[in-house]
mmCIF file of all heavy atoms in Angstrom:
data_model
loop_
_atom_site.group_PDB
_atom_site.id
_atom_site.type_symbol
_atom_site.label_atom_id
_atom_site.label_comp_id
_atom_site.label_asym_id
_atom_site.label_seq_id
_atom_site.Cartn_x
_atom_site.Cartn_y
_atom_site.Cartn_z
ATOM 1 N N SER A 115 21.769 -13.730 -2.998
ATOM 2 C CA SER A 115 20.579 -14.440 -3.485
ATOM 3 C C SER A 115 19.404 -13.509 -3.646
ATOM 4 O O SER A 115 18.265 -13.916 -3.697
ATOM 5 C CB SER A 115 20.207 -15.520 -2.449
ATOM 6 O OG SER A 115 20.022 -14.913 -1.203
ATOM 7 N N PHE A 116 19.706 -12.199 -3.753
ATOM 8 C CA PHE A 116 18.644 -11.207 -3.866
ATOM 9 C C PHE A 116 17.946 -11.306 -5.224
ATOM 10 O O PHE A 116 16.735 -11.269 -5.338
ATOM 11 C CB PHE A 116 19.218 -9.808 -3.626
ATOM 12 C CG PHE A 116 18.240 -8.706 -3.753
ATOM 13 C CD1 PHE A 116 17.173 -8.627 -2.857
ATOM 14 C CD2 PHE A 116 18.358 -7.727 -4.729
ATOM 15 C CE1 PHE A 116 16.269 -7.613 -2.946
ATOM 16 C CE2 PHE A 116 17.446 -6.709 -4.810
ATOM 17 C CZ PHE A 116 16.400 -6.641 -3.918
ATOM 18 N N LEU A 117 18.759 -11.427 -6.267
ATOM 19 C CA LEU A 117 18.194 -11.498 -7.623
ATOM 20 C C LEU A 117 18.028 -12.953 -8.017
ATOM 21 O O LEU A 117 18.914 -13.779 -7.750
ATOM 22 C CB LEU A 117 19.144 -10.784 -8.602
ATOM 23 C CG LEU A 117 19.382 -9.296 -8.317
ATOM 24 C CD1 LEU A 117 20.497 -8.786 -9.210
ATOM 25 C CD2 LEU A 117 18.115 -8.518 -8.573
ATOM 26 N N SER A 118 16.938 -13.257 -8.676
ATOM 27 C CA SER A 118 16.771 -14.620 -9.176
ATOM 28 C C SER A 118 17.676 -14.788 -10.384
ATOM 29 O O SER A 118 18.114 -13.825 -10.994
ATOM 30 C CB SER A 118 15.330 -14.879 -9.546
ATOM 31 O OG SER A 118 15.028 -14.211 -10.751
ATOM 32 N N MET A 119 17.924 -16.056 -10.745
ATOM 33 C CA MET A 119 18.828 -16.312 -11.877
ATOM 34 C C MET A 119 18.231 -15.702 -13.156
ATOM 35 O O MET A 119 18.949 -15.108 -13.964
ATOM 36 C CB MET A 119 19.050 -17.790 -12.035
ATOM 37 C CG MET A 119 20.118 -18.097 -13.097
ATOM 38 S SD MET A 119 20.736 -19.763 -12.898
ATOM 39 C CE MET A 119 21.613 -19.986 -14.447
ATOM 40 N N ALA A 120 16.914 -15.796 -13.322
ATOM 41 C CA ALA A 120 16.291 -15.236 -14.511
ATOM 42 C C ALA A 120 16.485 -13.737 -14.549
ATOM 43 O O ALA A 120 16.780 -13.176 -15.616
ATOM 44 C CB ALA A 120 14.787 -15.552 -14.510
ATOM 45 N N GLU A 121 16.429 -13.073 -13.424
ATOM 46 C CA GLU A 121 16.665 -11.633 -13.371
ATOM 47 C C GLU A 121 18.108 -11.306 -13.752
ATOM 48 O O GLU A 121 18.388 -10.393 -14.512
ATOM 49 C CB GLU A 121 16.311 -11.073 -11.994
ATOM 50 C CG GLU A 121 14.805 -10.897 -11.800
ATOM 51 C CD GLU A 121 14.396 -10.698 -10.359
ATOM 52 O OE1 GLU A 121 15.231 -10.976 -9.437
ATOM 53 O OE2 GLU A 121 13.262 -10.248 -10.124
ATOM 54 N N CYS A 122 19.029 -12.093 -13.179
ATOM 55 C CA CYS A 122 20.459 -11.867 -13.502
ATOM 56 C C CYS A 122 20.668 -12.019 -14.992
ATOM 57 O O CYS A 122 21.386 -11.217 -15.607
ATOM 58 C CB CYS A 122 21.331 -12.885 -12.762
ATOM 59 S SG CYS A 122 21.297 -12.687 -10.992
ATOM 60 N N GLN A 123 20.057 -13.046 -15.570
ATOM 61 C CA GLN A 123 20.246 -13.290 -17.009
ATOM 62 C C GLN A 123 19.659 -12.151 -17.814
ATOM 63 O O GLN A 123 20.211 -11.704 -18.821
ATOM 64 C CB GLN A 123 19.617 -14.619 -17.361
ATOM 65 C CG GLN A 123 20.422 -15.786 -16.835
ATOM 66 C CD GLN A 123 19.696 -17.089 -16.836
ATOM 67 O OE1 GLN A 123 18.449 -17.126 -16.822
ATOM 68 N NE2 GLN A 123 20.415 -18.186 -16.845
ATOM 69 N N PHE A 124 18.493 -11.646 -17.365
ATOM 70 C CA PHE A 124 17.873 -10.525 -18.062
ATOM 71 C C PHE A 124 18.793 -9.298 -18.003
ATOM 72 O O PHE A 124 18.959 -8.579 -19.019
ATOM 73 C CB PHE A 124 16.510 -10.222 -17.427
ATOM 74 C CG PHE A 124 15.840 -9.057 -18.068
ATOM 75 C CD1 PHE A 124 15.245 -9.157 -19.313
ATOM 76 C CD2 PHE A 124 15.788 -7.813 -17.432
ATOM 77 C CE1 PHE A 124 14.607 -8.084 -19.908
ATOM 78 C CE2 PHE A 124 15.195 -6.723 -18.038
ATOM 79 C CZ PHE A 124 14.595 -6.873 -19.277
ATOM 80 N N ILE A 125 19.380 -9.079 -16.837
ATOM 81 C CA ILE A 125 20.271 -7.920 -16.684
ATOM 82 C C ILE A 125 21.459 -8.048 -17.611
ATOM 83 O O ILE A 125 21.833 -7.124 -18.309
ATOM 84 C CB ILE A 125 20.724 -7.813 -15.201
ATOM 85 C CG1 ILE A 125 19.543 -7.402 -14.325
ATOM 86 C CG2 ILE A 125 21.869 -6.832 -15.060
ATOM 87 C CD1 ILE A 125 19.760 -7.596 -12.853
ATOM 88 N N ILE A 126 22.044 -9.271 -17.648
ATOM 89 C CA ILE A 126 23.219 -9.447 -18.498
ATOM 90 C C ILE A 126 22.838 -9.266 -19.980
ATOM 91 O O ILE A 126 23.580 -8.597 -20.729
ATOM 92 C CB ILE A 126 23.816 -10.843 -18.250
ATOM 93 C CG1 ILE A 126 24.492 -10.823 -16.877
ATOM 94 C CG2 ILE A 126 24.805 -11.235 -19.368
ATOM 95 C CD1 ILE A 126 25.339 -11.985 -16.604
ATOM 96 N N LYS A 127 21.681 -9.772 -20.353
ATOM 97 C CA LYS A 127 21.244 -9.549 -21.739
ATOM 98 C C LYS A 127 21.102 -8.047 -22.008
ATOM 99 O O LYS A 127 21.540 -7.550 -23.071
ATOM 100 C CB LYS A 127 19.902 -10.235 -21.974
ATOM 101 C CG LYS A 127 19.294 -9.898 -23.311
ATOM 102 C CD LYS A 127 18.503 -11.054 -23.837
ATOM 103 C CE LYS A 127 18.140 -10.838 -25.281
ATOM 104 N NZ LYS A 127 17.159 -9.742 -25.447
ATOM 105 N N HIS A 128 20.506 -7.322 -21.069
ATOM 106 C CA HIS A 128 20.344 -5.886 -21.273
ATOM 107 C C HIS A 128 21.680 -5.188 -21.388
ATOM 108 O O HIS A 128 21.885 -4.353 -22.267
ATOM 109 C CB HIS A 128 19.527 -5.288 -20.097
ATOM 110 C CG HIS A 128 19.448 -3.811 -20.129
ATOM 111 N ND1 HIS A 128 20.262 -2.988 -19.380
ATOM 112 C CD2 HIS A 128 18.663 -2.990 -20.856
ATOM 113 C CE1 HIS A 128 19.976 -1.732 -19.623
ATOM 114 N NE2 HIS A 128 19.014 -1.690 -20.490
ATOM 115 N N GLU A 129 22.630 -5.584 -20.552
ATOM 116 C CA GLU A 129 23.957 -4.936 -20.598
ATOM 117 C C GLU A 129 24.667 -5.270 -21.914
ATOM 118 O O GLU A 129 25.335 -4.417 -22.489
ATOM 119 C CB GLU A 129 24.797 -5.352 -19.405
ATOM 120 C CG GLU A 129 24.215 -4.958 -18.043
ATOM 121 C CD GLU A 129 24.110 -3.452 -17.862
ATOM 122 O OE1 GLU A 129 24.824 -2.704 -18.565
ATOM 123 O OE2 GLU A 129 23.272 -3.011 -17.048
ATOM 124 N N LEU A 130 24.524 -6.506 -22.369
ATOM 125 C CA LEU A 130 25.145 -6.880 -23.647
ATOM 126 C C LEU A 130 24.482 -6.105 -24.783
ATOM 127 O O LEU A 130 25.156 -5.587 -25.692
ATOM 128 C CB LEU A 130 25.033 -8.386 -23.890
ATOM 129 C CG LEU A 130 25.918 -9.264 -23.050
ATOM 130 C CD1 LEU A 130 25.633 -10.737 -23.321
ATOM 131 C CD2 LEU A 130 27.391 -8.958 -23.316
ATOM 132 N N ASP A 131 23.169 -6.007 -24.758
ATOM 133 C CA ASP A 131 22.420 -5.320 -25.790
ATOM 134 C C ASP A 131 22.806 -3.848 -25.879
ATOM 135 O O ASP A 131 22.789 -3.252 -26.948
ATOM 136 C CB ASP A 131 20.923 -5.436 -25.580
ATOM 137 C CG ASP A 131 20.322 -6.641 -26.254
ATOM 138 O OD1 ASP A 131 21.051 -7.259 -27.084
ATOM 139 O OD2 ASP A 131 19.174 -6.996 -25.970
ATOM 140 N N THR A 132 23.082 -3.242 -24.733
ATOM 141 C CA THR A 132 23.364 -1.814 -24.731
ATOM 142 C C THR A 132 24.870 -1.528 -24.735
ATOM 143 O O THR A 132 25.281 -0.406 -24.497
ATOM 144 C CB THR A 132 22.737 -1.118 -23.511
ATOM 145 O OG1 THR A 132 23.154 -1.826 -22.324
ATOM 146 C CG2 THR A 132 21.234 -1.130 -23.581
ATOM 147 N N LEU A 133 25.632 -2.541 -25.044
ATOM 148 C CA LEU A 133 27.100 -2.331 -25.264
ATOM 149 C C LEU A 133 27.249 -1.676 -26.605
ATOM 150 O O LEU A 133 26.938 -2.272 -27.637
ATOM 151 C CB LEU A 133 27.787 -3.701 -25.199
ATOM 152 C CG LEU A 133 29.308 -3.707 -25.343
ATOM 153 C CD1 LEU A 133 29.946 -2.919 -24.229
ATOM 154 C CD2 LEU A 133 29.819 -5.157 -25.348
ATOM 155 N N ARG A 134 27.739 -0.432 -26.627
ATOM 156 C CA ARG A 134 27.704 0.341 -27.849
ATOM 157 C C ARG A 134 29.065 0.567 -28.456
ATOM 158 O O ARG A 134 30.064 0.656 -27.738
ATOM 159 C CB ARG A 134 27.066 1.714 -27.588
ATOM 160 C CG ARG A 134 25.631 1.604 -27.214
ATOM 161 C CD ARG A 134 25.033 2.930 -26.800
ATOM 162 N NE ARG A 134 23.763 2.672 -26.183
ATOM 163 C CZ ARG A 134 22.706 2.208 -26.815
ATOM 164 N NH1 ARG A 134 22.770 1.958 -28.112
ATOM 165 N NH2 ARG A 134 21.569 1.992 -26.185
ATOM 166 N N ALA A 135 29.087 0.706 -29.776
ATOM 167 C CA ALA A 135 30.316 1.034 -30.460
ATOM 168 C C ALA A 135 30.767 2.428 -30.037
ATOM 169 O O ALA A 135 29.935 3.278 -29.746
ATOM 170 C CB ALA A 135 30.112 0.984 -31.970
ATOM 171 N N GLN A 136 32.098 2.638 -29.943
ATOM 172 C CA GLN A 136 32.600 3.976 -29.589
ATOM 173 C C GLN A 136 33.136 4.656 -30.835
ATOM 174 O O GLN A 136 32.391 5.289 -31.567
ATOM 175 C CB GLN A 136 33.642 3.841 -28.489
ATOM 176 C CG GLN A 136 32.974 3.379 -27.200
ATOM 177 C CD GLN A 136 33.988 3.227 -26.076
ATOM 178 O OE1 GLN A 136 35.000 2.586 -26.254
ATOM 179 N NE2 GLN A 136 33.659 3.796 -24.938
ATOM 180 N N ASP A 137 34.466 4.496 -31.072
ATOM 181 C CA ASP A 137 34.966 5.121 -32.279
ATOM 182 C C ASP A 137 35.263 4.119 -33.386
ATOM 183 O O ASP A 137 35.843 4.463 -34.398
ATOM 184 C CB ASP A 137 36.235 5.962 -31.920
ATOM 185 C CG ASP A 137 37.127 5.177 -30.959
ATOM 186 O OD1 ASP A 137 36.804 3.977 -30.729
ATOM 187 O OD2 ASP A 137 38.099 5.716 -30.487
ATOM 188 N N GLU A 138 34.863 2.861 -33.175
ATOM 189 C CA GLU A 138 35.051 1.853 -34.224
ATOM 190 C C GLU A 138 34.161 2.219 -35.417
ATOM 191 O O GLU A 138 33.024 2.604 -35.267
ATOM 192 C CB GLU A 138 34.628 0.454 -33.743
ATOM 193 C CG GLU A 138 35.437 -0.094 -32.581
ATOM 194 C CD GLU A 138 34.740 0.108 -31.249
ATOM 195 O OE1 GLU A 138 33.935 1.051 -31.159
ATOM 196 O OE2 GLU A 138 35.046 -0.607 -30.297
ATOM 197 N N THR A 139 34.737 2.094 -36.628
ATOM 198 C CA THR A 139 33.907 2.360 -37.810
ATOM 199 C C THR A 139 33.400 1.034 -38.383
ATOM 200 O O THR A 139 32.496 1.009 -39.204
ATOM 201 C CB THR A 139 34.691 3.082 -38.887
ATOM 202 O OG1 THR A 139 35.908 2.346 -39.149
ATOM 203 C CG2 THR A 139 35.047 4.499 -38.439
ATOM 204 N N HIS A 140 34.025 -0.068 -37.988
ATOM 205 C CA HIS A 140 33.523 -1.370 -38.421
ATOM 206 C C HIS A 140 33.983 -2.405 -37.386
ATOM 207 O O HIS A 140 34.832 -2.128 -36.534
ATOM 208 C CB HIS A 140 34.066 -1.719 -39.816
ATOM 209 C CG HIS A 140 35.566 -1.753 -39.891
ATOM 210 N ND1 HIS A 140 36.315 -2.842 -39.563
ATOM 211 C CD2 HIS A 140 36.453 -0.783 -40.210
ATOM 212 C CE1 HIS A 140 37.606 -2.565 -39.692
ATOM 213 N NE2 HIS A 140 37.709 -1.283 -40.088
ATOM 214 N N VAL A 141 33.404 -3.600 -37.466
ATOM 215 C CA VAL A 141 33.802 -4.669 -36.546
ATOM 216 C C VAL A 141 35.226 -5.089 -36.903
ATOM 217 O O VAL A 141 35.497 -5.432 -38.080
ATOM 218 C CB VAL A 141 32.844 -5.856 -36.697
ATOM 219 C CG1 VAL A 141 33.311 -7.036 -35.881
ATOM 220 C CG2 VAL A 141 31.432 -5.458 -36.306
ATOM 221 N N PRO A 142 36.190 -5.071 -35.965
ATOM 222 C CA PRO A 142 37.558 -5.457 -36.302
ATOM 223 C C PRO A 142 37.570 -6.860 -36.918
ATOM 224 O O PRO A 142 36.968 -7.777 -36.402
ATOM 225 C CB PRO A 142 38.246 -5.450 -34.945
ATOM 226 C CG PRO A 142 37.498 -4.488 -34.101
ATOM 227 C CD PRO A 142 36.064 -4.603 -34.582
ATOM 228 N N GLY A 143 38.264 -6.987 -38.034
ATOM 229 C CA GLY A 143 38.337 -8.262 -38.724
ATOM 230 C C GLY A 143 37.230 -8.417 -39.769
ATOM 231 O O GLY A 143 37.248 -9.348 -40.535
ATOM 232 N N HIS A 144 36.231 -7.524 -39.729
ATOM 233 C CA HIS A 144 35.148 -7.596 -40.735
ATOM 234 C C HIS A 144 34.853 -6.196 -41.215
ATOM 235 O O HIS A 144 34.011 -5.499 -40.707
ATOM 236 C CB HIS A 144 33.857 -8.175 -40.126
ATOM 237 C CG HIS A 144 33.941 -9.648 -39.892
ATOM 238 N ND1 HIS A 144 33.461 -10.559 -40.800
ATOM 239 C CD2 HIS A 144 34.452 -10.358 -38.879
ATOM 240 C CE1 HIS A 144 33.692 -11.779 -40.333
ATOM 241 N NE2 HIS A 144 34.283 -11.687 -39.170
ATOM 242 N N SER A 145 35.579 -5.776 -42.271
ATOM 243 C CA SER A 145 35.474 -4.378 -42.671
ATOM 244 C C SER A 145 34.094 -4.091 -43.271
ATOM 245 O O SER A 145 33.707 -2.916 -43.325
ATOM 246 C CB SER A 145 36.583 -4.034 -43.658
ATOM 247 O OG SER A 145 36.519 -4.965 -44.730
ATOM 248 N N GLN A 146 33.367 -5.103 -43.693
ATOM 249 C CA GLN A 146 32.060 -4.820 -44.309
ATOM 250 C C GLN A 146 30.958 -4.645 -43.210
ATOM 251 O O GLN A 146 29.860 -4.231 -43.550
ATOM 252 C CB GLN A 146 31.680 -5.865 -45.347
ATOM 253 C CG GLN A 146 31.079 -7.154 -44.824
ATOM 254 C CD GLN A 146 32.127 -8.038 -44.109
ATOM 255 O OE1 GLN A 146 33.272 -7.647 -43.921
ATOM 256 N NE2 GLN A 146 31.712 -9.217 -43.713
ATOM 257 N N ALA A 147 31.244 -5.034 -41.962
ATOM 258 C CA ALA A 147 30.263 -4.868 -40.886
ATOM 259 C C ALA A 147 30.452 -3.496 -40.223
ATOM 260 O O ALA A 147 31.160 -3.337 -39.267
ATOM 261 C CB ALA A 147 30.424 -5.986 -39.852
#
Side-chain angles (χ1 to χ4, degrees):
Chain A
S115 56
F116 180 62
L117 300 170
S118 74
M119 187 161 166
E121 281 165 345
C122 294
Q123 288 164 336
F124 178 75
I125 290 165
I126 288 191
K127 171 148 192 291
H128 174 261
E129 297 297 337
L130 287 176
D131 269 347
T132 53
L133 181 61
R134 293 174 193 294
Q136 292 179 310
D137 43 7
E138 297 97 337
T139 54
H140 59 85
V141 173
H144 286 266
S145 55
Q146 82 288 6

